[in-house]
């Protein structure tokens, strides 16, 4: 009877003092690495969307003016440009396992400690280009 109670008490103690679980995120990009290609595609898709929305507004208004299509192209192009720039500037930077140094490859982040409330992380290997 003492063994199950002791085991249950031990498990409850370990659960109560355990640090919160931390998960790592593995980012896998399936797009272009070239930021100009990303911005160009976003601008082109914005222009196409602007043409479609402008044409829909022109058809709904039933006028002979092509102003809605022109404004749709302009707004869509600049909107796509803005979204492309935002996307490129906010994407996650890849991190590598080894850091190239003057003497060859090294474990660059061996002494990098990150302290957070209730947890501490040590970065063992890091690479920046």
């Amino acid at each position: 009877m003492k063994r199950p109670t002791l085991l249950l008490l031990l498990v409850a103690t370990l659960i109560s003092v355990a640090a919160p679980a931390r998960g790592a995120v593995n980012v896998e990009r399936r797009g272009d690495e070239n930021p100009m290609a990303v911005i160009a595609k976003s601008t082109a898709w914005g222009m196409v969307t602007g043409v479609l929305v402008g044409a829909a507004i022109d058809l709904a208004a039933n006028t002979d003016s092509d102003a809605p299509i022109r404004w749709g192209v302009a707004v869509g192009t600049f909107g796509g440009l803005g979204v492309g720039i935002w996307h490129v500037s906010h994407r996650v930077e890849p991190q590598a396992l080894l850091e190239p140094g003057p003497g060859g490859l090294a474990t660059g982040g061996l002494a990098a400690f990150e302290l957070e409330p209730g947890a501490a992380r040590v970065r063992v290997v890091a690479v920046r280009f």
Side-chain angles (χ1 to χ4, degrees):
M1 187 68 177
K2 287 184 179 182
R3 182 172 271 175
T5 305
L6 184 62
L7 184 61
L8 184 62
L9 183 62
L10 180 66
V11 169
T13 304
L14 288 176
I15 289 174
S16 67
V17 298
R22 299 197 46 92
V25 176
N26 185 14
V27 177
E28 183 177 323
R29 293 186 186 163
R30 295 188 184 267
D32 294 322
E33 293 296 323
N34 185 356
M36 288 305 294
V38 173
I39 293 172
K41 284 181 184 179
S42 178
T43 304
W45 281 112
M47 183 187 67
V48 169
T49 304
V51 167
L52 293 176
V53 171
I57 291 172
D58 191 28
L59 287 174
N62 198 14
T63 62
D64 292 334
S65 173
D66 60 349
I69 296 175
R70 285 186 284 141
W71 277 105
V73 169
V75 170
T77 301
F78 286 113
L81 177 66
V83 167
I85 291 171
W86 181 86
H87 177 69
V88 167
S89 65
H90 284 85
R91 62 183 172 183
V92 178
E93 291 186 26
Q95 295 182 353
L97 297 176
L98 296 174
E99 184 173 333
L105 294 177
T107 57
L110 187 57
F113 292 102
E114 295 178 15
L115 296 175
E116 297 175 0
R121 290 191 294 173
V122 178
R123 186 174 49 175
V124 177
V125 180
V127 175
R128 289 208 111 147
F129 292 97

